[in-house]
Amino acid sequence: LQHSEKELSQLVHQDPNTGLANRVILKDSIERVLQSRDDDLTAALVLLKLKGLREINNTLGHYVGDQVVHQTTRFLQEQIQRVPVSNRIALSTGPEDYLASMQGITFAFLLQTRTLAECEALVQQVQSSLPPHITLNDITLDLSTGAGIYRVSTGDNAEHIIRNAFVAVERAQKNNKDIVTYSDDINPYNARRLALISELRKAIELKHAPDQVTPVLARALLALGQPKKVIDELGKVVLTSAEAKAD
């Protein structure tokens, strides 16, 4: 019975591919951080994703991909231990547990720093300390990661923090960046963005005059982080009403 309980606990709290703490533990750890915040330090969730893992799985097989993940797990555990103790936040599973994994391909850890620049420097330190290549079965593979950072703010909750950190790390992967720090400008699911896009679609569907559509279009493009497009698109429209020009 005790053996079964232990296995059940592992299933609930461990990522099956890496053996690390999973999303359940990460969420619990974030909630604890939120309950005991230090006003002088800002906590941040960091997500790391391996670049090129899908290609490795597709060309060499999932067995090789799993070996890459396992070696990366070991490397990351070693490097996070080198981060100053004052900047590391342990997971709820124990004082020496710092690294979690989600879906077997996304690594997560928590940091606390005084400034965003300090946080980004620590993440860069972890990334640059990883070996650039690993060799498996006489095959040399590149090893690099993209990182997403989300700094915790007042009113946050664990799900919101994890979701936004995923937005940042996906942007890093998509744009081939080493590090992307979350901001609302990069979030395609931002509530304000969605509302503006919905408003714009309605205006277009109702075939409003350019004077009515243009201000909505401008706000939507700005919300999407595309100020250059605002200039380009507005240059195509001739406003006729003083009210539209004032908008």
Side-chain angles (χ1 to χ4, degrees):
L1 182 60
Q2 288 181 345
H3 184 65
S4 297
E5 288 178 350
K6 183 178 180 181
E7 289 180 341
L8 179 60
S9 177
Q10 288 177 338
L11 286 172
V12 173
H13 299 122
Q14 286 186 359
D15 176 78
N17 193 29
T18 62
L20 296 171
N22 63 8
R23 187 187 184 109
V24 174
I25 294 298
L26 179 64
K27 183 178 176 181
D28 180 65
S29 302
I30 293 171
E31 293 291 358
R32 293 189 181 201
V33 169
L34 292 171
Q35 292 169 12
S36 57
R37 289 184 60 190
D38 185 334
D39 292 338
D40 294 328
L41 297 171
T42 300
L45 173 62
V46 181
L47 298 186
L48 286 178
K49 268 189 133 176
L50 285 167
K51 295 179 182 178
L53 185 60
R54 180 179 298 176
E55 288 76 10
I56 292 173
N57 286 333
N58 290 342
T59 55
L60 300 176
H62 283 270
Y63 173 77
V64 175
D66 288 346
Q67 292 303 305
V68 171
V69 171
H70 294 159
Q71 288 207 29
T72 304
T73 299
R74 180 169 56 82
F75 292 142
L76 282 173
Q77 286 176 314
E78 292 173 355
Q79 296 310 319
I80 291 173
Q81 289 288 344
R82 297 181 181 179
V83 172
V85 175
S86 60
N87 297 124
R88 286 185 254 152
I89 300 177
L91 301 175
S92 57
T93 47
E96 294 302 317
D97 295 336
Y98 296 99
L99 191 63
S101 179
M102 291 178 285
Q103 305 164 349
I105 58 173
T106 304
F107 298 95
F109 56 95
L110 293 161
L111 296 176
Q112 56 183 6
T113 57
R114 296 187 182 280
T115 66
L116 174 59
E118 184 182 0
C119 179
E120 291 176 337
L122 289 172
V123 174
Q124 184 69 57
Q125 174 185 313
V126 170
Q127 288 179 298
S128 61
S129 298
L130 295 174
H133 314 285
I134 59 174
T135 301
L136 294 169
N137 302 325
D138 298 324
I139 300 174
T140 300
L141 302 170
D142 292 336
L143 179 61
S144 60
T145 60
I149 300 173
Y150 179 81
R151 297 193 83 204
V152 177
S153 58
T154 303
D156 272 332
N157 61 63
E159 281 297 338
H160 180 258
I161 291 166
I162 293 172
R163 185 168 62 248
N164 287 342
F166 263 112
V167 169
V169 76
E170 292 298 338
R171 176 58 68 97
Q173 292 280 88
K174 181 180 178 180
N175 293 350
N176 198 30
K177 300 284 187 182
D178 288 337
I179 299 173
V180 170
T181 298
Y182 176 86
S183 69
D184 285 343
D185 290 342
I186 68 169
N187 189 351
Y189 312 109
N190 178 275
R192 178 169 169 267
R193 275 181 161 197
L194 294 177
L196 285 169
I197 291 171
S198 176
E199 187 181 349
L200 176 60
R201 283 176 179 159
K202 287 179 182 177
I204 293 173
E205 288 169 4
L206 292 172
K207 298 181 179 180
H208 287 322
D211 288 354
Q212 295 170 291
V213 175
T214 301
V216 181
L217 173 61
R219 290 197 297 272
L221 289 172
L222 287 172
L224 291 168
Q226 300 182 40
K228 185 178 182 301
K229 273 196 174 182
V230 175
I231 298 171
D232 294 341
E233 293 300 322
L234 291 188
K236 302 174 186 177
V237 178
V238 177
L239 299 180
T240 58
S241 75
E243 186 179 16
K245 292 176 183 178
D247 237 359

